[in-house]
Amino acid sequence: MNFVFPAPPVASVPVLHSEQRFAVHRIYCVGRNYADHAREMGADVNRTQPTFFLKPADAVVTDGRDVPYPSATADLHHEVEMVVALGSGGRDIPLETALEHVFGYGVGLDLTRRDLQAAAKAKSLPWDVAKGFDASAPISALRAIGNGVHPQHATLSLLVNGEPRQNSDISEMIFNVAEIIHALSQLFELTAGDLIFTGTPAGVAALARGDVFEATLGGVASLQGRIV
Ligand code: MN
């Protein structure tokens, strides 16, 4: 291929116990997937259809890396989330086979410019600048699923400067992983390399420069970093 300028590098995430990395195609995110968080945001709990939005693939920040405090906000919020990594995809994926497309799992932060999101919601405008900014998707190394066992229960927690901020269990999700893949594949053609941030429980709050965060998906993955 002969490009007018060098092609951009491929965003990627390490895989635990592997020399190989997971190349990121797209980052999908689910909104309002825990009832306690939907309520804390003043939103209705909707069990009919998941809310989706996207972040650019190169928004990933890998484990241990510093996260620059973003421009144009005075209210950067953390949202700890289980991340699903797809090893294959398709359109109109049936519920029954949806989990067969999962490569593995990790934990990430859906960083949010909460002040810009609130302004967008007030004017019924899109969330892109509130959600899809540079370095808005810190993510752990991924754990590949072994022998087809998918986590049904796992603690999802976030410490900031050693203090607990968010603590829940993935069994509290309104839409489970199979339901998310099924619904997303009716809107987009999914493919290997797609990441899905599956929503956050209650306890979202502000991050400041110098804060150290530690996110954990119990027994699966962990992520550390610092806001600079
Ligand atoms: Mn989120």
Side-chain angles (χ1 to χ4, degrees):
M1 213 76 86
N2 185 16
F3 297 110
V4 294
F5 53 83
V10 175
S12 68
V13 179
V15 177
L16 287 168
H17 313 304
S18 172
E19 296 295 303
Q20 296 180 310
R21 294 177 70 92
F22 181 92
V24 180
H25 174 246
R26 289 180 188 163
I27 304 174
Y28 298 100
C29 303
V30 185
R32 300 167 186 163
N33 201 26
Y34 289 78
D36 57 358
H37 172 63
R39 283 192 293 267
E40 78 177 347
M41 298 303 292
D44 294 331
V45 177
N46 179 348
R47 296 180 195 276
T48 57
Q49 173 68 22
T51 300
F52 295 117
F53 57 92
L54 287 88
K55 292 174 186 270
D58 67 354
V60 294
V61 180
T62 53
D63 185 34
R65 296 294 187 112
D66 288 346
V67 176
Y69 195 94
S71 63
T73 184
D75 197 20
L76 175 68
H77 269 208
H78 55 72
E79 297 189 356
V80 67
E81 312 199 356
M82 177 170 77
V83 180
V84 178
L86 298 188
S88 60
R91 290 192 181 95
D92 299 322
I93 296 170
L95 258 184
E96 298 69 31
T97 57
L99 291 182
E100 296 172 10
H101 297 282
V102 176
F103 166 81
Y105 295 89
V107 64
L109 295 183
D110 165 17
L111 293 178
T112 302
R113 285 165 165 152
R114 191 70 74 201
D115 43 2
L116 298 195
Q117 187 194 32
K121 284 179 176 175
K123 296 179 180 174
S124 297
L125 291 172
W127 291 7
D128 299 53
V129 299
K131 290 289 196 177
F133 52 92
D134 298 339
S136 59
I139 181 172
S140 70
L142 300 172
R143 182 177 296 278
I145 53 160
N147 56 39
V149 178
H150 297 262
Q152 303 294 313
H153 297 266
T155 303
L156 181 62
S157 68
L158 176 69
L159 302 178
V160 177
N161 303 326
E163 299 292 327
R165 288 281 185 93
Q166 294 186 265
N167 189 58
S168 187
D169 192 285
I170 57 167
S171 60
E172 297 291 319
M173 292 197 299
I174 295 169
F175 296 98
N176 65 30
V177 174
E179 290 166 335
I180 290 166
I181 292 170
H182 171 66
L184 203 48
S185 73
Q186 294 170 340
L187 296 165
F188 302 93
E189 180 173 1
L190 300 180
T191 185
D194 288 338
L195 295 173
I196 307 171
F197 280 61
T198 56
T200 198
V204 301
L207 289 165
R209 286 184 184 84
D211 281 351
V212 173
F213 56 82
E214 181 173 2
T216 307
L217 181 62
V220 177
S222 66
L223 163 72
Q224 289 185 315
R226 187 170 52 129
I227 309 295
V228 297

